[in-house]
Amino acid sequence: MSAGARTRIKICCMGSVAEMELAVAAGADAVGLVAQMPSGAGVIADDLAAEIARATPPPVASFLLTQRADAEAIAEHLTGVRATALQLVRHLEPAEYPRLRRRLPGVKIVQVVHVEDGSALAIAKDYAVLADALLLDSGRPGAKVAELGGTGRTHDWTVSRRIVEAVAVPVFLAGGLNPDNVAAAIAAVRPYGVDVCSGLRGGDGALDAGALSRFVRAVRGADMLQESL
């Protein structure tokens, strides 16, 4: 992220139109709609995701998080939900990208890279020439029950910083962020944007307005600090 740039904020795991409206009012640049997953938080039915996407006011983006792994199925999924951006939570085969571009011209594609170790750098470089943006998360796609997001865990931010420095596309940072650590995460990684789900939710899984407000203030405070350096 260049000096003076504003860190974008994506609030994920929307559970209702009311939660989306709360996120937008707090200053979110994007909201995330989590479709069926093998594990993790925030999963909603596609019809509810479509309702939230329809209600999301421009210029706020709505991201559909899909685990589907072939271009036709992914395109069908997005067409049904009608979100404005696509977040691919599996490490998609590169050969699927040209097919996906043909099926979804003009749609922004955000490829998740799960930062399990230093090998994520090479994975990120490969995807940076295919996707419009990257999102660095803490999943374990190869686990017995695949973890594709919503883990509540951080990962090695030094690897994430190396990725930000190595690629030319925007990079979002996710994985275990919350109001208490997001400023440190921004200082360590300098991402284009930050993405949060479980870090803003109480025991009932609902979006916590107080935590949301503190998170946004922490991000803006981190931006001001970076400007002063």
Side-chain angles (χ1 to χ4, degrees):
M1 185 178 70
S2 62
R6 179 177 66 85
T7 304
R8 273 55 171 191
I9 298 174
K10 174 172 170 274
I11 308 298
C12 203
C13 304
M14 294 293 98
S16 66
V17 170
E19 285 196 350
M20 176 275 293
E21 292 172 341
L22 185 63
V24 170
D29 299 287
V31 295
L33 311 170
V34 183
Q36 182 182 13
M37 296 287 161
S39 64
V43 173
I44 57 175
D46 285 353
D47 57 352
L48 177 55
E51 179 185 356
I52 298 170
R54 285 195 304 271
T56 302
V60 178
S62 56
F63 285 43
L64 173 65
L65 281 68
T66 183
Q67 65 159 331
R68 299 186 187 186
D70 69 88
E72 288 300 318
I74 293 167
E76 180 182 3
H77 199 183
L78 185 69
T79 301
V81 173
R82 300 186 69 82
T84 58
L86 187 60
Q87 182 172 326
L88 305 176
V89 301
R90 291 190 183 274
H91 288 169
L92 195 68
E93 287 295 327
E96 296 296 325
Y97 265 87
R99 303 184 188 110
L100 195 54
R101 294 292 190 187
R102 287 194 294 270
R103 290 283 280 109
L104 297 173
V107 172
K108 297 295 185 184
I109 300 175
V110 180
Q111 174 66 57
V112 173
V113 174
H114 296 287
V115 182
E116 298 185 74
D117 52 39
S119 66
L121 177 60
I123 296 169
K125 287 180 178 180
D126 288 343
Y127 281 129
V129 300
L130 299 170
D132 297 295
L134 304 179
L135 188 146
L136 309 181
D137 209 344
S138 304
R140 296 186 303 160
K144 185 174 182 180
V145 176
E147 296 178 351
L148 304 176
T151 67
R153 296 192 305 265
T154 58
H155 55 259
D156 185 346
W157 291 340
T158 63
V159 176
S160 294
R161 177 63 176 260
R162 291 169 62 200
I163 291 171
V164 168
E165 293 173 342
V167 303
V169 297
V171 178
F172 289 84
L173 178 67
L177 299 182
N178 59 56
D180 296 324
N181 68 6
V182 69
I186 290 170
V189 179
R190 303 298 301 276
Y192 171 84
V194 290
D195 179 32
V196 61
C197 173
S198 58
L200 301 184
R201 295 179 181 273
D204 61 355
L207 184 61
D208 183 294
L212 173 62
S213 178
R214 292 194 303 275
F215 186 87
V216 173
R217 287 200 306 270
V219 173
R220 297 297 165 242
D223 286 349
M224 290 178 64
L225 180 60
Q226 292 300 323
E227 289 178 10
S228 70
L229 297 179

